[in-house]
Short mmCIF file of all heavy atoms in Angstrom, two decimals:
data_model
loop_
_atom_site.label_atom_id
_atom_site.label_comp_id
_atom_site.label_asym_id
_atom_site.label_seq_id
_atom_site.Cartn_x
_atom_site.Cartn_y
_atom_site.Cartn_z
N THR A 19 -65.47 -7.88 -139.34
CA THR A 19 -65.86 -9.27 -139.61
C THR A 19 -65.11 -10.20 -138.67
O THR A 19 -64.24 -9.80 -137.90
CB THR A 19 -65.57 -9.67 -141.07
OG1 THR A 19 -64.15 -9.59 -141.28
CG2 THR A 19 -66.29 -8.80 -142.03
N ASP A 20 -65.41 -11.47 -138.75
CA ASP A 20 -64.75 -12.50 -137.99
C ASP A 20 -63.29 -12.60 -138.39
O ASP A 20 -63.00 -12.89 -139.56
CB ASP A 20 -65.47 -13.82 -138.20
CG ASP A 20 -64.88 -14.97 -137.40
OD1 ASP A 20 -63.96 -14.75 -136.61
OD2 ASP A 20 -65.35 -16.10 -137.61
N GLU A 21 -62.37 -12.35 -137.47
CA GLU A 21 -60.93 -12.35 -137.79
C GLU A 21 -60.47 -13.71 -138.31
O GLU A 21 -59.45 -13.77 -139.00
CB GLU A 21 -60.12 -11.98 -136.55
CG GLU A 21 -60.22 -10.52 -136.20
CD GLU A 21 -59.42 -10.16 -134.95
OE1 GLU A 21 -58.93 -11.07 -134.23
OE2 GLU A 21 -59.26 -8.97 -134.72
N THR A 22 -61.16 -14.79 -137.99
CA THR A 22 -60.74 -16.08 -138.49
C THR A 22 -60.85 -16.18 -140.00
O THR A 22 -60.27 -17.07 -140.60
CB THR A 22 -61.53 -17.23 -137.83
OG1 THR A 22 -62.90 -17.08 -138.11
CG2 THR A 22 -61.30 -17.24 -136.32
N MET A 23 -61.57 -15.23 -140.61
CA MET A 23 -61.68 -15.21 -142.07
C MET A 23 -60.33 -14.87 -142.71
O MET A 23 -60.05 -15.29 -143.82
CB MET A 23 -62.69 -14.17 -142.55
CG MET A 23 -64.12 -14.56 -142.42
SD MET A 23 -65.24 -13.24 -143.00
CE MET A 23 -64.63 -12.86 -144.62
N TYR A 24 -59.51 -14.11 -142.01
CA TYR A 24 -58.25 -13.68 -142.61
C TYR A 24 -57.02 -13.82 -141.72
O TYR A 24 -55.91 -13.79 -142.23
CB TYR A 24 -58.37 -12.22 -143.10
CG TYR A 24 -58.77 -11.19 -142.02
CD1 TYR A 24 -57.82 -10.61 -141.23
CD2 TYR A 24 -60.10 -10.88 -141.84
CE1 TYR A 24 -58.19 -9.69 -140.26
CE2 TYR A 24 -60.47 -9.96 -140.86
CZ TYR A 24 -59.50 -9.37 -140.07
OH TYR A 24 -59.86 -8.48 -139.11
N HIS A 25 -57.19 -13.96 -140.43
CA HIS A 25 -55.99 -14.13 -139.57
C HIS A 25 -55.37 -15.47 -139.81
O HIS A 25 -56.06 -16.48 -139.89
CB HIS A 25 -56.37 -13.94 -138.09
CG HIS A 25 -56.18 -12.55 -137.61
ND1 HIS A 25 -56.05 -12.25 -136.29
CD2 HIS A 25 -56.08 -11.38 -138.27
CE1 HIS A 25 -55.91 -10.95 -136.16
NE2 HIS A 25 -55.92 -10.39 -137.34
N ALA A 26 -54.04 -15.47 -139.90
CA ALA A 26 -53.29 -16.70 -140.06
C ALA A 26 -52.42 -16.93 -138.80
O ALA A 26 -52.46 -16.11 -137.87
CB ALA A 26 -52.42 -16.60 -141.30
N THR A 27 -51.68 -17.96 -138.80
CA THR A 27 -50.85 -18.32 -137.63
C THR A 27 -49.98 -17.15 -137.14
O THR A 27 -49.93 -16.90 -135.94
CB THR A 27 -49.99 -19.56 -137.96
OG1 THR A 27 -50.86 -20.63 -138.31
CG2 THR A 27 -49.10 -19.96 -136.79
N PRO A 28 -49.29 -16.42 -138.03
CA PRO A 28 -48.48 -15.30 -137.54
C PRO A 28 -49.28 -14.25 -136.74
O PRO A 28 -48.78 -13.74 -135.73
CB PRO A 28 -47.87 -14.70 -138.79
CG PRO A 28 -47.86 -15.80 -139.79
CD PRO A 28 -49.10 -16.60 -139.48
N GLN A 29 -50.47 -13.93 -137.19
CA GLN A 29 -51.27 -12.95 -136.48
C GLN A 29 -51.77 -13.49 -135.13
O GLN A 29 -51.81 -12.75 -134.15
CB GLN A 29 -52.46 -12.50 -137.34
CG GLN A 29 -52.08 -11.61 -138.50
CD GLN A 29 -51.39 -12.41 -139.60
OE1 GLN A 29 -51.75 -13.54 -139.91
NE2 GLN A 29 -50.36 -11.81 -140.19
N THR A 30 -52.11 -14.76 -135.13
CA THR A 30 -52.57 -15.39 -133.87
C THR A 30 -51.42 -15.40 -132.88
O THR A 30 -51.62 -15.08 -131.71
CB THR A 30 -53.09 -16.80 -134.15
OG1 THR A 30 -54.15 -16.73 -135.11
CG2 THR A 30 -53.60 -17.47 -132.88
N GLN A 31 -50.22 -15.77 -133.33
CA GLN A 31 -49.04 -15.80 -132.46
C GLN A 31 -48.71 -14.38 -131.97
O GLN A 31 -48.36 -14.17 -130.82
CB GLN A 31 -47.84 -16.39 -133.18
CG GLN A 31 -47.99 -17.88 -133.43
CD GLN A 31 -46.91 -18.42 -134.34
OE1 GLN A 31 -46.38 -17.73 -135.21
NE2 GLN A 31 -46.60 -19.67 -134.15
N GLY A 32 -48.85 -13.40 -132.85
CA GLY A 32 -48.63 -12.01 -132.49
C GLY A 32 -49.59 -11.52 -131.43
O GLY A 32 -49.21 -10.83 -130.49
N ARG A 33 -50.84 -11.92 -131.57
CA ARG A 33 -51.87 -11.52 -130.58
C ARG A 33 -51.54 -12.14 -129.23
O ARG A 33 -51.64 -11.48 -128.20
CB ARG A 33 -53.25 -11.95 -131.06
CG ARG A 33 -54.29 -11.65 -129.99
CD ARG A 33 -55.66 -11.52 -130.50
NE ARG A 33 -55.75 -10.25 -131.19
CZ ARG A 33 -56.42 -10.11 -132.33
NH1 ARG A 33 -57.03 -11.09 -132.86
NH2 ARG A 33 -56.47 -8.91 -132.90
N VAL A 34 -51.11 -13.40 -129.24
CA VAL A 34 -50.75 -14.08 -127.99
C VAL A 34 -49.54 -13.38 -127.35
O VAL A 34 -49.49 -13.17 -126.12
CB VAL A 34 -50.48 -15.57 -128.23
CG1 VAL A 34 -49.84 -16.23 -127.01
CG2 VAL A 34 -51.77 -16.28 -128.61
N ALA A 35 -48.57 -12.97 -128.16
CA ALA A 35 -47.38 -12.29 -127.65
C ALA A 35 -47.73 -10.97 -127.00
O ALA A 35 -47.06 -10.52 -126.07
CB ALA A 35 -46.37 -12.05 -128.78
N HIS A 36 -48.79 -10.33 -127.47
CA HIS A 36 -49.19 -9.04 -126.92
C HIS A 36 -50.18 -9.14 -125.77
O HIS A 36 -50.42 -8.16 -125.08
CB HIS A 36 -49.82 -8.17 -128.04
CG HIS A 36 -48.80 -7.39 -128.78
ND1 HIS A 36 -49.01 -6.10 -129.17
CD2 HIS A 36 -47.56 -7.68 -129.21
CE1 HIS A 36 -47.96 -5.66 -129.82
NE2 HIS A 36 -47.05 -6.62 -129.84
N GLU A 37 -50.78 -10.31 -125.60
CA GLU A 37 -51.78 -10.47 -124.54
C GLU A 37 -51.30 -10.01 -123.17
O GLU A 37 -52.01 -9.28 -122.45
CB GLU A 37 -52.25 -11.93 -124.48
CG GLU A 37 -53.63 -12.16 -124.95
CD GLU A 37 -54.02 -13.61 -124.92
OE1 GLU A 37 -53.56 -14.36 -124.02
OE2 GLU A 37 -54.77 -14.01 -125.80
N SER A 38 -50.12 -10.45 -122.80
CA SER A 38 -49.63 -10.11 -121.44
C SER A 38 -49.32 -8.64 -121.33
O SER A 38 -49.43 -8.06 -120.23
CB SER A 38 -48.39 -10.96 -121.09
OG SER A 38 -47.35 -10.68 -122.00
N VAL A 39 -48.98 -7.97 -122.43
CA VAL A 39 -48.76 -6.52 -122.41
C VAL A 39 -50.10 -5.82 -122.29
O VAL A 39 -50.28 -4.91 -121.45
CB VAL A 39 -48.02 -6.05 -123.65
CG1 VAL A 39 -48.01 -4.54 -123.75
CG2 VAL A 39 -46.59 -6.57 -123.66
N ASP A 40 -51.05 -6.23 -123.12
CA ASP A 40 -52.37 -5.60 -123.09
C ASP A 40 -53.07 -5.76 -121.74
O ASP A 40 -53.76 -4.88 -121.28
CB ASP A 40 -53.25 -6.16 -124.21
CG ASP A 40 -52.75 -5.81 -125.59
OD1 ASP A 40 -52.00 -4.79 -125.71
OD2 ASP A 40 -53.07 -6.52 -126.56
N LYS A 41 -52.87 -6.90 -121.10
CA LYS A 41 -53.43 -7.14 -119.81
C LYS A 41 -52.55 -6.61 -118.68
O LYS A 41 -52.89 -6.76 -117.50
CB LYS A 41 -53.67 -8.64 -119.59
CG LYS A 41 -54.75 -9.22 -120.49
CD LYS A 41 -54.91 -10.70 -120.26
CE LYS A 41 -55.99 -11.27 -121.15
NZ LYS A 41 -56.14 -12.71 -120.96
N LYS A 42 -51.40 -6.07 -119.04
CA LYS A 42 -50.43 -5.47 -118.12
C LYS A 42 -49.93 -6.50 -117.10
O LYS A 42 -49.70 -6.19 -115.95
CB LYS A 42 -51.00 -4.22 -117.43
CG LYS A 42 -51.36 -3.15 -118.47
CD LYS A 42 -51.78 -1.88 -117.84
CE LYS A 42 -52.10 -0.88 -118.94
NZ LYS A 42 -52.18 0.46 -118.49
N THR A 43 -49.69 -7.72 -117.61
CA THR A 43 -49.15 -8.77 -116.74
C THR A 43 -47.77 -9.20 -117.21
O THR A 43 -47.18 -10.15 -116.66
CB THR A 43 -50.08 -9.99 -116.70
OG1 THR A 43 -50.24 -10.50 -118.03
CG2 THR A 43 -51.42 -9.65 -116.11
N ALA A 44 -47.19 -8.57 -118.25
CA ALA A 44 -45.90 -8.94 -118.81
C ALA A 44 -44.76 -8.65 -117.82
O ALA A 44 -43.69 -9.22 -117.93
CB ALA A 44 -45.65 -8.25 -120.12
N SER A 45 -45.02 -7.75 -116.91
CA SER A 45 -43.97 -7.40 -115.93
C SER A 45 -44.66 -6.93 -114.65
O SER A 45 -45.70 -6.28 -114.69
CB SER A 45 -43.09 -6.27 -116.46
OG SER A 45 -42.22 -5.81 -115.46
N ASN A 46 -44.07 -7.29 -113.51
CA ASN A 46 -44.58 -6.77 -112.25
C ASN A 46 -43.64 -5.75 -111.65
O ASN A 46 -43.80 -5.37 -110.48
CB ASN A 46 -44.87 -7.95 -111.28
CG ASN A 46 -43.63 -8.77 -110.98
OD1 ASN A 46 -42.54 -8.43 -111.41
ND2 ASN A 46 -43.83 -9.85 -110.23
N ARG A 47 -42.67 -5.31 -112.42
CA ARG A 47 -41.74 -4.28 -111.95
C ARG A 47 -42.45 -2.94 -111.90
O ARG A 47 -43.04 -2.50 -112.89
CB ARG A 47 -40.50 -4.24 -112.84
CG ARG A 47 -39.66 -5.49 -112.75
CD ARG A 47 -38.39 -5.35 -113.55
NE ARG A 47 -37.63 -6.58 -113.42
CZ ARG A 47 -37.19 -7.28 -114.44
NH1 ARG A 47 -37.43 -6.88 -115.66
NH2 ARG A 47 -36.52 -8.37 -114.23
N ALA A 48 -42.30 -2.26 -110.81
CA ALA A 48 -42.98 -0.98 -110.64
C ALA A 48 -42.52 0.08 -111.63
O ALA A 48 -43.29 0.99 -111.97
CB ALA A 48 -42.75 -0.46 -109.23
N ASN A 49 -41.32 -0.04 -112.13
CA ASN A 49 -40.79 0.97 -113.06
C ASN A 49 -41.03 0.65 -114.53
O ASN A 49 -40.58 1.36 -115.40
CB ASN A 49 -39.27 1.15 -112.82
CG ASN A 49 -39.01 1.86 -111.50
OD1 ASN A 49 -39.65 2.88 -111.20
ND2 ASN A 49 -38.12 1.32 -110.71
N ASP A 50 -41.73 -0.44 -114.79
CA ASP A 50 -42.07 -0.80 -116.19
C ASP A 50 -43.47 -0.30 -116.50
O ASP A 50 -44.42 -0.55 -115.77
CB ASP A 50 -42.01 -2.32 -116.40
CG ASP A 50 -40.58 -2.87 -116.41
OD1 ASP A 50 -39.63 -2.05 -116.31
OD2 ASP A 50 -40.45 -4.09 -116.49
N ILE A 51 -43.58 0.42 -117.59
CA ILE A 51 -44.88 0.90 -118.07
C ILE A 51 -45.30 0.01 -119.23
O ILE A 51 -44.53 -0.15 -120.20
CB ILE A 51 -44.80 2.37 -118.50
CG1 ILE A 51 -44.40 3.26 -117.34
CG2 ILE A 51 -46.13 2.83 -119.14
CD1 ILE A 51 -44.18 4.71 -117.71
#
């Protein structure tokens, strides 16, 4: 279902915190996975 039905601020903030990891842009160091 639509996540806005149940997602609250903490989940939205958590998703934003993970965005750069999921897109693999959180680090440009060659040794970071």
